[in-house]
Amino acid sequence: MVQNPLYRQVADKIREQIRSGGLKPGDALPTEVKLQQQFGVSRVTIRQAIKLLVEQDELYSVQGSGTYVREQRIKHDIYQLRGFSEEMSSTDRQASTEVLDFAVMLPPPRVASALGLTEQERVVYAKRLRLLDGKPLIVEETWLPLAMFPDLSFEVMRRSKYQYIEQEKGLKIDRSEQEIAPVLPSPDICRLLGCSASDPILEISSRGFLSTGEMFEFSVHHFLTREYKFSLVAKR
C-alpha cells in the first residue's frame, strides 16, 4: 500500500484538529517552528502542508500576520428549492434579513419579460440583504406579480417569502428555473457585501413556478462566493 507523502499526512492531522474543534474558525495556526516540533518534520514539509490546506480552503493566509482557520463554507444545493431561512436552519448559526427596499412598481423590461407580464402590470419589488451571524452573504432582488400577491407586505419580506406563499396563501411551489453566471460586482453590491470590485461573485437569476404552471416570482441573487460552495449531482 502506497503511503501518502509526509506533507499530506501533516495536512490530514491539522485537518483533524479543525474537525475536532481543537482549532476553531478564526484561530491562528501555530508558528512553523511550533508545527515542526509538534509533528517532527522539516519546515519545507510544514509549508507544503499549509499550502495544500490553503488551496483546499481549510486555511487562509494574511500577509504579515499569519495563517488562520477558515470558517467552513456554506453548502448550497442548487437542486433543493429552499429559502435562505430554511437553508440556514440546518446550521447552528444565526440567520437574519434586512429589507433594503420595498415598493409597488411597474416592472423593468427584463422583469416583465421574465414573468410574462406587460410593462403596465405592476409588481411588488423587494431588495433584501441576507446575513449569517451578522455577516452579509447575499443580496437578493425579487419581483412578484401584484395581482397574485396584493397583500404582500414589508413585514412578510422580513421573514420567509416561501412560508407566506405556501402557508398563508395556500399555494404550492413547484420549481425554480435558474441561470448562474460569475460576474464582477457593482459598486452597490460591493458596499453591501463588503467585497472588492475585482472579486468575482456569483449571480443567480431564477424564475419560480407554482404547481399550476404559473410564474410567481423573478429573482436575482448575488452570492458572496468566498462564503459559499455550490453542489450538484450529475448522473449518467
Side-chain angles (χ1 to χ4, degrees):
M1 182 176 178
V2 178
Q3 193 173 38
N4 275 338
L6 195 54
Y7 77 93
R8 287 187 175 273
Q9 295 178 44
V10 171
D12 287 342
K13 290 175 181 177
I14 295 174
R15 191 181 291 108
E16 286 172 11
Q17 292 180 16
I18 295 171
R19 297 289 183 267
S20 67
L23 286 170
K24 296 179 173 60
D27 282 355
L29 207 63
T31 64
E32 291 181 359
V33 172
K34 288 184 178 179
L35 290 172
Q36 280 182 264
Q37 294 170 349
Q38 180 180 346
F39 296 113
V41 297
S42 69
R43 179 168 289 191
V44 170
T45 299
I46 293 297
R47 288 179 176 174
Q48 287 178 310
I50 291 173
K51 181 175 181 291
L52 177 63
L53 291 170
V54 168
E55 290 172 351
Q56 294 177 344
D57 276 340
E58 299 278 358
L59 305 173
Y60 67 96
S61 295
V62 178
Q63 188 171 3
S65 176
T67 302
Y68 298 86
V69 179
R70 184 181 291 282
E71 188 84 54
Q72 291 299 299
R73 289 189 177 189
I74 302 155
K75 184 178 179 181
H76 179 73
D77 187 343
I78 64 174
Y79 287 121
Q80 292 289 319
L81 182 53
R82 297 187 296 174
F84 180 73
S85 299
E86 292 175 293
E87 190 169 59
M88 294 304 114
S89 65
S90 60
T91 74
D92 58 358
R93 302 170 69 183
Q94 183 64 44
S96 58
T97 296
E98 291 182 15
V99 181
L100 305 174
D101 196 2
F102 183 86
V104 173
M105 60 190 296
L106 295 175
R110 178 190 181 190
V111 174
S113 176
L115 289 172
L117 302 175
T118 69
E119 292 184 21
Q120 303 308 311
E121 294 179 271
R122 291 187 297 169
V123 294
V124 181
Y125 167 73
K127 183 176 182 178
R128 302 191 290 181
L129 181 64
R130 319 309 291 268
L131 305 100
L132 197 60
D133 295 337
K135 297 178 181 179
L137 291 181
I138 306 168
V139 176
E140 172 201 282
E141 292 183 274
T142 303
W143 296 262
L144 303 98
L146 178 64
M148 192 176 291
F149 305 108
D151 58 345
L152 182 60
S153 67
F154 180 94
E155 285 302 317
V156 166
M157 297 307 291
R158 288 183 62 192
R159 302 191 302 272
S160 169
K161 172 182 60 184
Y162 286 172
Q163 186 177 60
Y164 158 79
I165 291 170
E166 294 187 315
Q167 296 183 16
E168 295 185 33
K169 303 299 290 183
L171 301 172
K172 182 174 176 55
I173 297 172
D174 179 63
R175 70 186 191 279
S176 173
E177 296 180 356
Q178 306 181 15
E179 293 183 357
I180 304 174
V183 298
L184 290 176
S186 67
D188 181 55
I189 297 295
C190 287
R191 177 179 60 82
L192 292 171
L193 292 181
C195 59
S196 166
S198 60
D199 291 338
I201 61 172
L202 207 60
E203 179 183 276
I204 299 183
S205 303
S206 63
R207 296 188 301 165
F209 291 82
L210 300 174
S211 58
T212 59
E214 293 177 277
M215 279 182 283
F216 71 90
E217 74 163 336
F218 174 67
S219 292
V220 178
H221 296 78
H222 289 104
F223 285 81
L224 194 59
T225 49
R226 67 170 177 259
E227 301 291 345
Y228 263 91
K229 61 180 178 182
F230 292 77
S231 66
L232 56 87
V233 176
K235 294 184 178 181
R236 180 170 177 173

